[in-house]
Amino acid sequence: MSKRVRKAVLPVAGMGTRVLPGAKTTPKNLLNVVDRPILSYVVEEARAAGIEHFVFIVGRGQGAIEDYFDTNPEVENALEAKGKADILADVRRDLGKPGEMSFIRQMAPLGLGHAVWCAREVIGDEPFAVMLPDMLMAAERPALAQAVDAYNKVGGNIIAVEPAPEGETYKYGIVALEAQNGRLNRMTGMVEKPPLGTEPSNLFISGRYILQPEIFQILGTQPRGAGGEIQLTDAMATLMTRQDFHALEYEGTTYDCGDKIGLLRANVAFALARPDLADEARAAIKALL
Ligand code: UTP
């Protein structure tokens, strides 16, 4: 029986270059999609997958992330006094429970692999999830829960993937599969941004992973890779020579909120999916078109 996945690492220390200047003083993952920060959706997704401890890898100037998940008596008391019970409930819905969140400073943005490595002491010797919080996933069964289901079936390491739009595989990390039968397939490799025509499949790595703790030893000794950064992909490729990796084509849609148009698409899609806003949102969009 595989060990249960209880902890998730959420690296949020990147520069957010593609959504500057918005991300200059507000951490990118606190930008709103409709009326909640991106991170709110991702933490909700993690909870739905049974995650009990959240490890945020943060950078300088990102204290607002801790504050978001903490109580704010001034705001809460004011809402209570004004009888705004629905807004108060909405504000409180996102609060962390005492002890369930850790915040670790990355100190230098040396890459996603380095960010994940910073979580090693808090994760310890157990499998864990990695969630790239700028990737919002709309799915009936939350994406990470689907990855945990897959992990409970086959163990080892799981990477959530999604078909890339026609002709766009060159923009992504693409997986190579032993054979493509159904949604869960054994991986034989992965390649970062393959030139068009050389891609081993059309499935891109979409930002949810279940990894075994042996990844930390690899990350700790790995030289810098592409862009002078410590790449998670390189460490996973090394781990794949020793352990099983499966790609899960999860059911749902990914929105890359680290990108201007991706963030816009997420706002439109999530507003249209909200029963309380759908009609007004549709009318507003129609009027603009
Ligand atoms: P990205 O490359 O998508 O994010 O990294 P970024 O660096 O913020 O974006 P751009 O390219 O400058 O616009 C994927 C995730 O990994 C985190 C980012 O915060 C993002 O959530 N990350 C990346 C770190 O935490 N530390 C790093 O050193 C690099």
Side-chain angles (χ1 to χ4, degrees):
M1 176 77 187
S2 306
K3 276 192 192 170
R4 202 159 82 74
V5 180
R6 301 185 308 123
K7 301 178 184 175
V9 178
L10 295 92
V12 291
M15 285 267 290
T17 322
R18 289 164 296 153
V19 286
L20 279 171
K24 186 173 140 194
T25 49
T26 301
K28 163 170 82 171
N29 297 289
L30 288 187
L31 296 176
N32 262 13
V33 167
V34 191
D35 53 1
R36 319 190 75 78
I38 297 164
L39 263 185
S40 158
Y41 297 92
V42 180
V43 167
E44 194 165 74
E45 179 191 330
R47 287 192 198 286
I51 296 299
E52 296 165 356
H53 196 91
F54 302 84
V55 187
F56 293 90
I57 310 299
V58 297
R60 272 185 301 283
Q62 293 190 327
I65 294 175
E66 288 180 52
D67 291 343
Y68 183 77
F69 291 103
D70 198 357
T71 51
N72 183 330
E74 204 172 294
V75 170
E76 291 171 39
N77 291 343
L79 289 170
E80 205 146 30
K82 287 184 184 155
K84 306 233 180 238
D86 47 342
I87 304 181
L88 181 60
D90 222 18
V91 166
R92 287 189 172 151
R93 184 173 118 193
D94 278 348
L95 294 184
K97 297 181 189 75
E100 74 167 2
M101 291 184 173
S102 301
F103 297 85
I104 297 177
R105 288 282 186 120
Q106 189 182 1
M107 300 184 75
L110 296 179
L112 178 59
H114 181 261
V116 170
W117 177 73
C118 288
R120 65 200 179 281
E121 295 293 344
V122 179
I123 298 296
D125 189 25
E126 55 182 277
F128 63 102
V130 174
M131 306 177 81
L132 303 193
D134 27 359
M135 296 300 199
L136 263 196
M137 293 175 173
E140 211 158 285
R141 178 150 175 75
L144 189 65
Q146 294 183 41
V148 169
D149 293 344
Y151 169 78
N152 290 338
K153 244 185 239 156
V154 296
N157 301 268
I158 307 286
I159 298 184
V161 297
E162 179 176 346
E166 185 80 35
E168 291 190 18
T169 43
Y170 71 94
K171 293 184 182 170
Y172 301 100
I174 302 291
V175 297
L177 305 174
E178 203 170 69
Q180 202 163 347
N181 293 315
R183 291 185 170 269
L184 185 61
N185 292 292
R186 215 167 153 238
M187 286 176 58
T188 54
M190 61 197 122
V191 355
E192 200 51 58
K193 303 190 174 72
L196 265 186
T198 68
E199 65 275 7
S201 75
N202 67 337
L203 298 171
F204 75 93
I205 298 177
S206 56
R208 302 291 182 267
Y209 314 75
I210 309 284
L211 296 173
Q212 296 296 323
E214 286 76 17
I215 196 86
F216 292 124
Q217 290 135 27
I218 299 169
L219 285 169
T221 52
Q222 181 177 280
R224 294 185 186 203
E229 294 190 339
I230 297 176
Q231 299 285 353
L232 183 62
T233 318
D234 294 345
M236 291 193 300
T238 304
L239 188 57
M240 205 180 297
T241 63
R242 302 170 201 163
Q243 293 187 2
D244 267 358
F245 272 71
H246 282 80
L248 169 71
E249 191 183 330
Y250 82 100
E251 291 183 59
T253 309
T254 304
Y255 297 92
D256 182 359
C257 298
D259 169 86
K260 294 177 208 350
I261 298 299
L263 185 59
L264 175 67
R265 284 182 66 236
N267 269 288
V268 172
F270 279 66
L272 290 174
R274 280 262 299 257
D276 60 329
L277 294 175
D279 289 346
E280 265 185 88
R282 192 169 295 112
I285 295 161
K286 250 193 196 152
L288 282 173
L289 292 174

